[in-house]
Amino acid sequence: MSRILDLMPELEPDELQFVQQMLGDMPYAEMQQFANIYRARRKKPQEVLILIIVGFFLIAGLQRFYLGQIGMGLLYFFTGGLCFIGTILDLINYKRLTYEFNVKEAQTVKAMLRY
């Protein structure tokens, strides 16, 4: 685990555990390549939280657009965050939303590296 932690110290604990299990015994050079690509594609929970808060006051659904959920983003935009209920739920679950996005991105990056 220390190799992953050395390469990507910014990972959340759950995300770090998932990436460690996913990479397993990958060679260090390939692990460095994974870390470089994944770092550029992953989203930070703090950024999602900021977008949710902005959604309360300006444009609902920004967090969904940011996470690549265009359909939900449009739904939130046209319904005012589902009358603020969806926005409040996203505020409570922002770390889970970010984690799910990052898991998909990690799997995509790993698949890209396996020619």
Side-chain angles (χ1 to χ4, degrees):
M1 172 140 68
S2 65
R3 294 191 314 171
I4 296 295
L5 191 56
D6 291 340
L7 290 172
M8 296 181 285
E10 70 275 6
L11 296 182
E12 299 288 320
D14 292 341
E15 188 179 359
L16 179 65
Q17 182 180 3
F18 174 78
V19 169
Q20 176 65 33
Q21 289 175 350
M22 186 180 71
L23 297 183
D25 295 332
M26 184 181 282
Y28 190 72
E30 196 170 324
M31 203 176 287
Q32 285 178 316
Q33 188 177 13
F34 171 87
N36 290 334
I37 297 169
Y38 180 63
R39 184 176 287 120
R41 298 180 82 171
R42 74 181 288 271
K43 305 296 184 192
K44 298 175 186 161
Q46 298 84 1
E47 294 170 352
V48 174
L49 179 61
I50 290 169
L51 289 172
I52 293 170
I53 292 169
V54 168
F56 269 118
F57 302 107
L58 297 175
I59 302 171
L62 289 177
Q63 73 276 9
R64 296 295 181 149
F65 288 115
Y66 183 68
L67 293 173
Q69 300 173 351
I70 305 302
M72 285 297 289
L74 289 171
L75 182 66
Y76 275 45
F77 177 76
F78 288 115
T79 62
L82 299 174
C83 298
F84 293 109
I85 295 171
T87 304
I88 292 169
L89 290 175
D90 283 356
L91 183 62
I92 294 168
N93 296 316
Y94 75 95
K95 284 190 176 187
R96 183 185 54 81
L97 290 171
T98 309
Y99 174 75
E100 289 172 358
F101 176 84
N102 288 337
V103 163
K104 289 177 188 173
E105 286 301 312
Q107 291 169 341
T108 302
V109 171
K110 184 178 179 189
M112 283 176 21
L113 292 177
R114 298 289 177 179
Y115 311 106

